[in-house]
Amino acid sequence: MASGKDTEKDQLAASLNDLFTNVSDMIKGELQGTNNVLELLEKMNVRVGEEYKGFGDVASGLRVFVEQLKSKSSTFDDCIQQLDAIEQHVMEFEALIAMLDRYVSLLESKMQHVYQIPPAALK
């Protein structure tokens, strides 16, 4: 009987050893899977960092471009103000010309009346 108990103890010890070995392998596998996920995440973070660095360079370039456009825009604003002033002067000249045209027409009619010249002869 003693040898039966020893055999049972040996089988129990072997079964427990197998159990602990299998649990250990399972934990190692899960840890390896977690480690793989973390490595992938690290690689993804590096890639995203590189991508955003490129976006930063693009944004910096766009900022310089916008500043150049603002500078050109202020130059155009000066030109637009000059054009507005010219337009105002043209309108004033048109009004003056219209007034002079009426005055000339009035003088013409007075001349015709004073000298009694037919209107077709003056033109």
Side-chain angles (χ1 to χ4, degrees), residues 48-61:
V48 167
E50 290 171 356
E51 190 72 25
Y52 279 116
K53 183 181 181 291
F55 287 150
D57 294 342
V58 169
S60 177

Side-chain angles (χ1 to χ4, degrees), residues 23-80:
V23 168
S24 174
D25 289 343
M26 181 185 77
I27 291 172
K28 282 181 188 178
E30 294 221 2
L31 289 176
Q32 184 62 42
T34 301
N35 191 36
N36 291 343
V37 167
L38 291 175
E39 286 177 4
L40 176 63
L41 183 61
E42 182 181 7
K43 289 176 183 177
M44 289 170 61
N45 281 337
V46 168
R47 177 71 177 122
V48 167
E50 290 171 356
E51 190 72 25
Y52 279 116
K53 183 181 181 291
F55 287 150
D57 294 342
V58 169
S60 177
L62 287 175
R63 184 178 49 230
V64 169
F65 180 68
V66 166
E67 290 299 323
Q68 290 173 347
L69 285 178
K70 283 182 181 179
S71 172
K72 289 178 183 178
S73 173
S74 67
T75 303
F76 287 134
D77 289 342
D78 293 340
C79 292
I80 288 172

